[in-house]
């Protein structure tokens, strides 16, 4: 069990400003429910009967450690039966589900917590929430001797609360002295082989676990640990495995409130557990843990105010487990075709024309949110629709933060069914070091690796698809060599003007990774690309030296041409993607040359303006499509 190494400071801010909606509501609720004075503290354990019936606290902890507390939330009381689900979770974690199921079932009894009824067919107590089941679970605590078992039990509760907890010796003594019914249950279980060890030793641990002192705040954090898939929201410690948290919540849901469990599930709809000291915890998975403490209890042993508070919170904030707020349709952020949205690869006029005609053959489907069965089914249906018209469908996972195993299975099945068909499936932003790592791993398996092409982002995927449409094949246009007269920037120049230009160009060769232009440097040279491709990279604000690739440029295009206009500083890095051949033109020399031949400059500036206006027009169109 994790020992608490460093308990982070509580993160609950003052209930003012933006925290007011929840805090104010709880304060009002606390005041309103304070007038409820029915019931009285449990007294079958004499020490519990001494509790002040007016004590009343409500605490809510969020999965990221914000605690809202009102009333007596720092007063210690014994945890009692609220210890049971956590001991059950511990047993599952230590011994596995199959082994634990041999010792205790998961069937609600509809009977009181101290019922002596046992499942004689399966030879085990019915569930771990009634005393019989909890005693069977207590026997599963690890430890070479009783002292070690007690220490392990305390370490479990301390790591769940995020602070060192202790046993209330007076309550423990009182339970030990009066717990004859529990003794009877334990001996009956020994008689039928449901427990094996000395019942007094097993009961000693059970009484001690019930006598651990906690506060309402502690229990809210323990409940929030369950809401947070087993990780304590204050300390970050992964106390319980997610798969076992689900098991704990299942039995809390069906058996946590004993003979009131059905009505509770119907009305409140939260997995919960009550203790005779007057505490109730309730869990809203993924959101919050709640604890109410108020000693007066009802016939079933549940805190009266506790029940009322949970009923009201559930209703006010629509927290019943079966309130459905999943919208599976939101998985599709949007889709578009490549005739209107192009990659960041700058293209020549001729290429742009081809892409405007053939771009409809490439569809991009943007997914978002969490992928589970319902959302993945929607996504695959949309994929099928797009695939019926497209040659390539790119699925962009950039905004997906989770893909569970059912999503993985469905996506792999879809990819297998599409393999070798009319439409090629292309994935983007499915990184193997992020939340989609399991999905990426599934497609790295030998039997799946050829099913789809995977690119780092949608832009790279789109660029590849465009290259297919332009029929460049695997090597792109990198092999093409352009003459000066074919470069967009020099279109319309007379042959003798081209020759004059040729006399001042410097042929330049760069190797892959060479920085051709550096951001911030003086701009006195511009380039036309004859072979290879280069990337335009800019610094990402707030991310130090990290660079982002915003465009790529291929043969027939120019770069650094802003130098012609303002001669200022470079606004981006230009890096060679592979071996690059380009022509460098010194701005100064061009000005000298064109003093005698003004038509050269007029033609170049005309081409430049046309190029900029075309890019602007296309950018506007893309913004329209992507909005
Ligand atoms: O077994 C007992 O008597 C107690 N120590 C625990 C009972 C309890 O909290 C029952 N739940 N409402």
């Amino acid at each position: 069990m994790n020992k608490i190494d460093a308990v982070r400071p509580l993160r609950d801010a003052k209930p003012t400003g933006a925290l007011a909606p929840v805090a104010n509501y709880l304060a009002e609720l606390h005041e309103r429910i304070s007038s409820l004075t029915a019931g009285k503290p449990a007294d079958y354990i004499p020490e519990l009967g001494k509790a002040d019936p007016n004590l009343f606290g409500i605490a809510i902890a969020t999965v990221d450690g914000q605690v809202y507390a009102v009333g007596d939330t720092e007063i210690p009381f014994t945890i009692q039966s609220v210890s049971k689900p956590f001991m059950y979770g511990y047993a599952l974690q230590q011994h596995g589900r199959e082994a634990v199921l041999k010792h205790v079932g998961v069937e609600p009894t509809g009977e009181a917590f101290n019922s002596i009824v046992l499942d004689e067919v399966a030879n085990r107590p019915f569930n771990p929430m009634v005393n019989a089941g909890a005693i069977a679970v207590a026997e599963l605590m690890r430890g070479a001797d009783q002292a070690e078992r007690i220490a392990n039990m305390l370490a479990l509760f301390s790591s769940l609360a995020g602070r060192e907890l202790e046993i209330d010796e007076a309550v423990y003594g009182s339970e030990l002295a009066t717990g004859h019914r529990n003794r009877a249950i334990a001996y009956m279980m020994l008689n039928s082989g449901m427990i094996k060890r000395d019942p007094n030793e097993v009961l000693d641990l059970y009484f001690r676990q019930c006598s651990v002192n906690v506060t309402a705040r502690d229990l809210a954090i323990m409940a929030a640990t369950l809401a947070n898939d087993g990780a304590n929201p204050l300390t970050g410690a992964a106390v319980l495995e997610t798969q076992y948290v689900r098991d704990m919540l299942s039995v809390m849901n069906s058996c946590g409130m004993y003979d009131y469990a059905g009505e509770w599930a119907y009305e409140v709809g939260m997995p919960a557990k009550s203790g005779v000291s007057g505490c109730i915890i309730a869990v809203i998975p993924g959101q919050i843990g709640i604890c109410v403490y108020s000693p007066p209890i009802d016939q079933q042993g549940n805190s009266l105010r506790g029940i009322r508070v949970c009923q009201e919170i559930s209703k006010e904030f629509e927290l019943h487990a079966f309130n459905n707020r999943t919208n599976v349709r939101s998985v599709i952020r949007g889709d578009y075709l490549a005739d209107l949205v192009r990659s960041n690869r700058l293209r020549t006029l001729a290429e742009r024309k081809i892409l405007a005609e053939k771009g409809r053959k490439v569809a991009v489907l943007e997914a978002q949110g969490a992928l589970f069965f319902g959302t993945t089914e929607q996504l695959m249906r949309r994929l099928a629709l797009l695939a019926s018209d497209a040659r390539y469908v790119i699925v962009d996972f950039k905004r997906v933060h989770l893909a569970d195993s059912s999503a993985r299975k469905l996506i792999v099945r879809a990819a297998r069914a599409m393999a070798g068909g009319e439409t090629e499936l292309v994935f983007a932003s499915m990184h193997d070091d992020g939340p989609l790592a399991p999905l990426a791993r599934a497609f790295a398996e030998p039997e799946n690796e050829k099913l789809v092409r995977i690119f780092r982002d949608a832009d790279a995927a789109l660029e590849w698809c465009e290259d297919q449409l332009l029929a460049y094949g695997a090597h792109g246009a990198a092999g093409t060599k352009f003459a000066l007269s074919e470069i967009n920037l020099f279109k319309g120049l007379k042959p003798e003007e081209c020759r004059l230009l040729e006399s001042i160009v410097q042929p330049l060769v760069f190797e892959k990774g060479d920085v051709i232009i550096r951001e911030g440097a003086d701009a006195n040279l511009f380039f036309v690309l004859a072979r290879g491709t280069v990337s335009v990279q800019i610094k990402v604000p707030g991310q130090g030296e990290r660079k982002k690739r915003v465009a790529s440029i291929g043969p027939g295009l120019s770069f650094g041409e802003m130098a012609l206009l303002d001669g200022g500083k470079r606004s981006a890095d230009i890096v060679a993607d592979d071996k690059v051949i380009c022509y460098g033109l010194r701005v100064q020399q061009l000005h000298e040359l064109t003093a005698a031949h003004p038509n050269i400059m007029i033609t170049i500036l005309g081409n430049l303006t046309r190029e900029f206006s075309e890019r602007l027009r296309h950018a506007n169109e893309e913004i329209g499509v992507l909005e």
Side-chain angles (χ1 to χ4, degrees):
M1 189 48 54
N2 289 316
K3 195 97 183 109
I4 315 163
D5 38 18
V7 177
R8 287 194 218 153
L10 293 179
R11 262 171 268 173
D12 44 340
K14 296 237 165 359
T16 53
L19 291 176
V22 178
N24 285 353
Y25 168 79
L26 289 183
E28 279 166 31
L29 182 66
H30 185 270
E31 199 182 327
R32 191 150 35 85
I33 305 297
S34 293
S35 63
L36 188 74
T37 53
K40 62 184 189 54
D43 54 7
Y44 75 97
I45 298 166
E47 269 302 302
L48 292 184
K50 295 182 185 166
D52 175 355
N54 296 315
L55 289 173
F56 180 26
I58 309 173
I60 289 185
T62 64
V63 287
D64 61 350
Q66 173 68 44
V67 179
Y68 295 93
V70 55
D72 303 309
T73 54
E74 305 281 0
I75 302 282
F77 53 87
T78 53
I79 187 170
Q80 294 299 334
S81 288
V82 173
S83 60
K84 292 171 180 172
F86 297 103
M87 291 288 280
Y88 180 55
Y90 169 92
L92 287 167
Q93 191 135 308
Q94 293 294 320
H95 305 278
R97 192 178 287 157
E98 210 183 318
V100 172
L101 276 172
K102 291 201 175 98
H103 294 266
V104 61
V106 289
E107 209 52 45
T109 56
E111 298 211 26
F113 68 91
N114 55 5
S115 152
I116 295 194
V117 181
L118 298 165
D119 178 353
E120 276 159 25
V121 178
N123 200 42
R124 59 186 183 186
F126 277 102
N127 69 67
M129 301 295 109
V130 289
N131 289 4
I135 293 166
V137 169
E139 193 187 27
L140 300 177
M141 176 55 67
R142 295 245 191 239
D145 53 26
Q146 188 71 352
E148 208 175 298
R149 286 190 280 271
I150 295 167
N152 286 344
M153 179 273 289
L154 271 173
L156 165 69
F157 288 106
S158 299
S159 58
L160 284 158
R163 70 179 185 96
E164 295 293 338
L165 299 179
E166 284 167 1
I167 290 170
D168 183 322
E169 294 295 335
V171 173
Y172 161 68
S174 197
E175 298 229 21
L176 197 60
T178 60
H180 308 307
R181 194 176 166 98
N182 283 327
R183 223 161 271 130
I185 294 172
Y187 273 99
M188 273 184 58
M189 293 204 294
L190 178 71
N191 177 57
S192 51
M194 293 185 198
I195 61 171
K196 304 273 184 309
R197 286 211 322 267
D198 174 2
N200 287 307
E201 206 180 66
V202 179
L203 280 171
D204 179 72
L205 189 74
Y206 171 71
F207 290 143
R208 285 179 196 270
Q209 79 180 55
C210 290
S211 307
V212 170
N213 261 336
V214 288
T215 65
R217 172 190 292 269
D218 291 331
L219 284 191
I221 288 161
M222 289 167 66
T225 301
L226 301 186
N228 193 33
D229 293 335
N232 182 311
L234 280 188
T235 63
V239 187
L240 295 157
E241 277 177 45
T242 309
Q243 56 169 329
Y244 300 130
V245 170
R246 195 194 70 183
D247 295 342
M248 295 161 71
L249 295 176
S250 301
V251 288
M252 285 166 73
N253 196 50
S254 55
C255 321
M257 302 299 278
Y258 309 110
D259 34 344
Y260 184 64
E263 206 173 321
W264 172 275
Y266 185 77
E267 229 185 293
V268 181
M270 301 172 186
K273 187 71 205 82
S274 65
V276 283
S277 51
C279 53
I280 296 183
I281 62 163
V283 180
I284 294 95
Q287 298 186 55
I288 54 171
I290 303 173
C291 173
V292 189
Y293 171 57
S294 163
I297 55 171
D298 62 13
Q299 293 294 320
Q300 284 113 338
N302 299 324
S303 165
L304 273 146
R305 285 180 183 169
I307 289 178
R308 273 291 295 280
V309 166
C310 292
Q311 284 171 337
E312 298 233 1
I313 291 178
S314 172
K315 205 162 140 209
E316 178 74 11
F317 299 122
E318 300 185 21
L319 291 171
H320 192 292
F322 296 142
N323 281 340
N324 172 29
R325 52 178 68 80
T326 315
N327 176 4
V328 292
R329 292 166 205 91
S330 67
V331 68
I332 295 162
R333 182 171 188 266
D335 47 40
Y336 53 85
L337 302 177
D339 57 341
L340 291 181
V341 177
R342 280 203 314 263
S343 73
N344 286 325
R345 171 72 179 262
L346 299 182
R347 301 288 186 184
T348 63
L349 264 175
E351 290 171 328
R352 292 197 296 246
K353 202 159 161 274
I354 298 172
L355 291 178
E357 280 162 16
K358 295 193 184 170
R360 298 186 68 77
K361 290 279 142 208
V362 181
V364 182
L365 174 56
E366 292 181 329
Q368 65 183 3
L371 297 185
F372 46 88
F373 174 79
T375 51
T376 310
E377 189 276 336
Q378 286 276 335
L379 189 70
M380 295 300 104
R381 201 137 34 100
R382 187 78 196 154
L383 171 61
L385 196 72
L386 294 171
S388 61
D389 286 329
R391 171 82 191 81
Y392 303 94
V393 180
I394 300 169
V395 183
D396 184 8
F397 292 98
K398 183 177 173 190
R399 292 177 181 82
V400 173
H401 59 79
L402 177 124
D404 73 5
S405 67
S406 81
R408 294 200 293 276
K409 288 176 201 157
L410 291 176
I411 295 171
V412 169
R413 274 178 189 272
R416 284 201 184 132
M418 285 175 75
E422 296 279 286
T423 309
E424 193 161 339
L425 192 52
V426 180
F427 286 170
S429 319
M430 195 177 72
H431 304 296
D432 52 16
D433 56 352
L436 295 189
L439 186 60
R441 274 200 300 276
F443 279 96
E445 296 285 332
E447 70 270 27
N448 298 333
E449 67 179 351
K450 295 218 162 57
L451 297 179
V452 287
R453 260 171 225 280
I454 301 172
F455 291 89
R456 67 176 180 279
D457 56 27
D459 185 55
L462 201 50
E463 184 176 335
W464 180 83
C465 292
E466 288 169 355
D467 282 349
Q468 307 314 299
L469 297 183
L470 295 168
Y472 287 152
H475 303 293
T480 331
K481 187 161 172 41
F482 279 78
L484 219 49
S485 58
E486 290 170 273
I487 305 269
N488 274 2
L489 197 61
F490 304 131
K491 285 263 158 65
L493 287 180
K494 299 190 187 86
E496 62 272 23
E497 290 170 337
C498 276
R499 271 195 298 280
L500 282 170
L501 264 185
E502 269 160 23
S503 69
I504 62 162
V505 299
Q506 284 170 260
L508 299 164
V509 178
F510 296 95
E511 297 302 326
K512 182 181 164 89
D514 283 355
V515 180
I516 306 173
I517 285 180
R518 201 174 284 282
E519 190 176 337
D522 286 334
N524 44 32
L525 199 66
F526 75 99
F527 303 80
V528 289
L529 193 53
R531 239 182 207 199
T533 61
V534 297
S535 288
V536 184
Q537 300 181 356
I538 55 164
K539 274 208 196 85
V540 185
Q543 293 196 16
E545 284 310 296
R546 208 173 89 78
K547 297 272 167 94
K548 183 174 159 48
R549 174 184 182 271
V550 290
S552 71
I553 299 170
L557 292 166
S558 49
F559 59 90
E561 63 275 64
M562 296 288 253
L564 273 178
L565 303 178
D566 57 15
K569 304 274 183 206
R570 301 295 192 193
S571 58
D573 281 359
I574 303 277
V575 183
D577 289 341
D578 39 37
K579 192 182 174 86
V580 158
I581 299 175
C582 54
Y583 308 122
L585 276 125
R586 207 154 281 289
V587 176
Q588 182 60 32
Q589 268 180 307
L590 188 65
H591 281 303
E592 283 163 15
L593 176 78
T594 55
H597 306 274
N599 186 52
I600 296 183
M601 193 54 113
I602 292 167
T603 308
I604 289 176
L605 290 179
N607 287 336
L608 204 53
T609 315
R610 238 189 317 280
E611 175 67 22
F612 285 160
S613 69
E614 200 282 335
R615 279 190 212 170
L616 197 57
R617 200 175 299 129
H618 187 74
N620 286 340
E621 249 172 40
E622 278 194 359
I623 291 167
V625 173
L626 294 176
E627 242 176 12

